[in-house]
Amino acid sequence: MHRFGISREMSARVSRKATSWLDTCKISRYMSSLSFATVEAEKICGSQPAEVHNLVQGKWVQSSSWSTLKDPLNGEPFIKVAEVDKSEIKPFVDSLSKCPKHGLHNPFKSPERYLLYGEISTKAGHMLAQPQVSDFFARLIQRVSPKSYQQAMGEVSVTQKFLENFSGDQVRFLARSFAVPGNHLGQQSHGFRWPYGPVTIVTPFNFPLEIPVLQLMGALYMGNKPLLKVDSKVSIVMDQMLRLLHACGLPVEDVDFINSDGKTMNKLLMEAKPRMTLFTGSSKVAEKLAEDLKGQVKLEDAGFDWKILGPDVQQEDYVAWVCDQDAYACSGQKCSAQSILFMHENWSASPLISKLKELAARRKLEDLTIGPVLTVTTEAMLEHVQKLLKIPGSKILFGGEPLENHSIPSIYGAFKPTAVYVPLEEILKENNFELVTKEIFGPFQVITDYKANQLPMVLDALERMHAHLTAAVEVIGSSVNGTTYAGLRARTTGAPQNHWFGPAGDPRGAGIGTPEAIKLVWSCHREIIYDIGPVPNQWKIPAST
């Protein structure tokens, strides 16, 4: 099969132009030095398929059947995944069941493990900072979740910085306690962060390294034993990352790793009864898990994310660039992607839309600045656009068409960066609101405008939305999104390791990245009251009360 007139081998290297400084010879030399790796990202193909295994009770194992993944860029079968079926879940259930409720470590049990994980993070952060290792993971991410090299490397960089942040003593500082004076001599109450014990982590395809590593390590830092399930389409990335962590001292029994379909995983959860499950993904699945697991969940689900441009028109080129990045980087496959843009009428009169159109037109498949959409087909996106165009006053601003001259398999979407204008008055109508605010996990956004006296209508739209993940906004007091950027350089996407990323307004909401996020998601509060006396002299048994 050929794409753009080039061979399959070159198709696997579709993004090489973005990093011409790194020649093939250098890559080969780097690859040979990665002792933990069992694959070479650029050599994965139909004749040399990679294999993804499961990890349980300290051993890498296969399963009775394999599923075969297609290369998102050319449809060639290129990865075999050992998927566990319902009859094979017992070892995973047993492994979780062996972990007590008080965890593998806590402030009173095996505290040296806090130091161990500080060391593991130090070594892993150092290893991931090596150019050959970071390049390996960036290339591997590109193979399974195609995005530009810069976007893939950004994911690796955030993960590496996170590991650096929790090196040395930082893990034990996560378990910092406090004391409050008691009512009498010898009494003090102490608050401790306590693990849940057996836990599970379920993460999506769009960030194959960053999301699972940050949540996995947070779980481990606090003393839990996690079972990790990553979307099988991209699980090869965590297969390799776990091998790196083992090389850095991670005890092989501390983490289990499973590949399965959703029904098998659901059955496993029902039988293993983990004390807490972290789920990142669709709202529909999140709500089912919340019900099935009786609320013992933390969720970071859908994000229909919005941006408001106020009346002051300035730095049009910069604002247009941020809007383009927010809406279309990673082909719009970010839970933080800009889904709707509210422009003040002053911006409507500016060149903003024409600049957005020019920036969107720069994106091309050759460098993966636009690429396959892994969960929404081309037909589904076309259908959504047509439904929106039936709303009075709606129109396509740019895009709205399939990509051309590609070999992306039909099971995936291939769509040009798209923006559809819908009048604000129409958005707020009861029969339109659900349609307009439907999250399309691809290169798509809705754009509207408002007059100065219509700001209350914009706020009404925000209040009615169900997803409260990210926002770029000037009305902080009248909104609730958990990760909100404010000011001229405000964005909706880009979650570095130095700030909280997660929704607000939902007690089940999960965060990621920071000490606050780790403590919230992966530990609970335990109060221990020391009351050692002495008993007052001449104390007598009082009357019953």
Side-chain angles (χ1 to χ4, degrees):
M1 183 182 298
H2 289 70
R3 188 174 59 77
F4 311 123
I6 60 178
S7 67
R8 272 182 177 170
E9 289 74 16
M10 290 300 292
S11 172
R13 299 173 183 177
V14 66
S15 63
R16 180 167 301 285
K17 292 180 182 178
T19 53
S20 58
W21 57 273
L22 193 57
D23 58 57
T24 306
C25 194
K26 191 174 183 181
I27 289 175
S28 299
R29 186 171 68 253
Y30 280 166
M31 291 302 180
S32 64
S33 67
L34 303 184
S35 59
F36 67 87
T38 60
V39 301
E40 294 186 29
E42 301 208 352
K43 289 186 178 180
I44 301 172
C45 61
S47 60
Q48 299 182 61
E51 292 186 356
V52 183
H53 296 171
N54 303 285
L55 177 65
V56 62
Q57 299 182 23
K59 296 180 181 179
W60 287 101
V61 297
Q62 299 180 10
S63 62
S64 61
S65 62
W66 297 80
S67 64
T68 302
L69 306 178
K70 293 183 177 181
D71 188 322
L73 291 172
N74 60 29
E76 180 183 55
F78 78 140
I79 297 176
K80 295 168 61 180
V81 181
E83 289 218 342
V84 173
D85 64 31
K86 293 180 181 179
S87 66
E88 299 172 311
I89 64 174
K90 188 176 186 301
F92 298 90
V93 174
D94 291 345
S95 184
L96 277 182
S97 299
K98 290 177 182 177
C99 177
K101 294 177 183 178
H102 54 263
L104 299 178
H105 63 265
N106 60 53
F108 292 86
K109 172 187 174 182
S110 303
E112 65 277 2
R113 282 175 51 89
Y114 293 114
L115 308 184
L116 169 66
Y117 274 98
E119 275 297 306
I120 293 168
S121 294
T122 300
K123 293 176 182 177
H126 176 73
M127 186 175 286
L128 206 55
Q130 303 307 305
Q132 64 269 36
V133 178
S134 58
D135 180 76
F136 166 75
F137 279 104
R139 299 289 181 188
L140 195 58
I141 289 168
Q142 284 188 294
R143 295 305 310 276
V144 293
S145 183
K147 59 183 78 174
S148 71
Y149 185 84
Q150 291 81 0
Q151 288 285 324
M153 185 57 81
E155 184 177 343
V156 178
S157 178
V158 167
T159 305
Q160 187 270 329
K161 290 293 184 184
F162 170 87
L163 291 166
E164 280 188 350
N165 284 349
F166 293 98
S167 60
D169 283 323
Q170 296 308 309
V171 173
R172 82 162 123 206
F173 289 158
L174 288 171
R176 187 191 302 271
S177 61
F178 63 86
V180 177
N183 294 334
H184 50 255
L185 182 64
Q187 187 186 75
Q188 284 186 331
S189 60
H190 290 250
F192 295 94
R193 300 311 302 179
W194 215 257
Y196 291 103
V199 299
T200 49
I201 303 169
V202 183
T203 63
F205 74 92
N206 54 335
F207 287 89
L209 184 72
E210 180 182 340
I211 295 177
V213 170
L214 268 59
Q215 295 292 13
L216 175 69
M217 296 308 290
L220 290 165
Y221 293 157
M222 301 312 294
N224 302 288
K225 177 184 172 69
L227 166 64
L228 173 65
K229 180 195 170 350
V230 180
D231 189 316
S232 293
K233 292 191 291 290
V234 299
S235 59
I236 190 170
V237 178
M238 278 308 296
D239 175 301
Q240 297 299 294
M241 186 63 193
L242 283 168
R243 296 174 194 273
L244 181 150
L245 290 169
H246 289 157
C248 294
L250 173 70
V252 291
E253 302 87 0
D254 279 12
V255 178
D256 292 334
F257 176 63
I258 189 172
N259 299 284
S260 72
D261 62 21
K263 292 182 179 179
T264 297
M265 188 62 189
N266 192 258
K267 179 178 173 61
L268 190 157
L269 291 172
M270 295 300 96
E271 292 191 14
K273 295 181 173 58
R275 303 288 295 172
M276 212 287 289
T277 293
L278 177 281
F279 175 78
T280 305
S282 76
S283 292
K284 183 178 180 181
V285 177
E287 292 300 331
K288 174 176 170 48
L289 282 177
E291 184 175 346
D292 289 348
L293 299 176
K294 297 179 173 59
Q296 292 180 288
V297 295
K298 287 291 184 180
L299 308 175
E300 197 266 271
D301 53 357
F304 187 85
D305 306 302
W306 42 266
K307 181 180 291 176
I308 299 175
L309 300 180
D312 299 326
V313 177
Q314 54 182 315
Q315 300 288 335
E316 292 101 319
D317 285 341
Y318 183 84
V319 172
W321 173 76
V322 172
C323 288
D324 174 76
Q325 285 291 108
D326 282 347
Y328 306 123
C330 298
S331 301
Q333 296 172 102
K334 295 184 179 182
C335 53
S336 57
Q338 179 176 301
S339 303
I340 187 167
L341 174 64
F342 297 92
M343 303 182 300
H344 188 276
E345 59 184 340
N346 293 351
W347 283 97
S348 302
S350 78
L352 177 67
I353 297 299
S354 61
K355 290 179 182 291
L356 275 175
K357 184 176 181 179
E358 291 172 5
L359 291 170
R362 298 192 309 172
R363 297 184 173 275
K364 53 187 183 294
L365 190 57
E366 288 89 341
D367 61 7
L368 293 178
T369 49
I370 193 70
V373 179
L374 301 190
T375 57
V376 189
T377 64
T378 303
E379 291 71 23
M381 286 184 278
L382 284 170
E383 182 182 356
H384 185 68
V385 169
Q386 292 306 312
K387 288 180 179 178
L388 289 175
L389 292 178
K390 292 179 181 179
I391 298 174
S394 298
K395 59 183 177 182
I396 292 179
L397 297 174
F398 52 85
E401 300 174 341
L403 290 178
E404 300 166 345
N405 302 320
H406 65 82
S407 54
I408 295 171
S410 59
I411 57 173
Y412 301 131
F415 212 60
K416 293 180 179 179
T418 297
V420 174
Y421 174 84
V422 183
L424 179 60
E425 297 87 344
E426 293 294 331
I427 291 175
L428 292 172
K429 290 182 178 178
E430 194 66 36
N431 56 333
N432 293 334
F433 191 79
E434 185 175 348
L435 172 65
V436 174
T437 57
K438 178 181 179 180
E439 183 183 18
I440 301 298
F441 213 56
F444 177 85
Q445 66 173 321
V446 171
I447 295 180
T448 192
D449 50 14
Y450 67 97
K451 296 179 173 58
N453 63 356
Q454 291 181 314
L455 182 58
M457 297 173 65
V458 175
L459 298 180
D460 180 39
L462 306 186
E463 184 69 18
R464 289 166 61 182
M465 292 178 192
H466 298 295
H468 303 301
L469 187 54
T470 69
V473 64
E474 293 187 351
V475 284
I476 298 173
S478 298
S479 58
V480 71
N481 292 45
T483 303
T484 302
Y485 293 86
L488 175 65
R489 301 183 67 172
R491 55 186 179 171
T492 66
T493 64
Q497 70 293 333
N498 63 298
H499 71 59
W500 162 285
F501 184 85
D506 187 334
R508 305 168 302 177
I512 193 171
T514 63
E516 292 76 18
I518 292 171
K519 286 184 277 190
L520 172 79
V521 175
W522 295 116
S523 68
C524 58
H525 180 90
R526 185 181 187 187
E527 193 84 0
I528 297 178
I529 297 88
Y530 290 97
D531 203 345
I532 59 175
V535 176
N537 291 331
Q538 301 178 345
W539 180 87
K540 296 180 180 179
I541 296 176
S544 298
T545 61

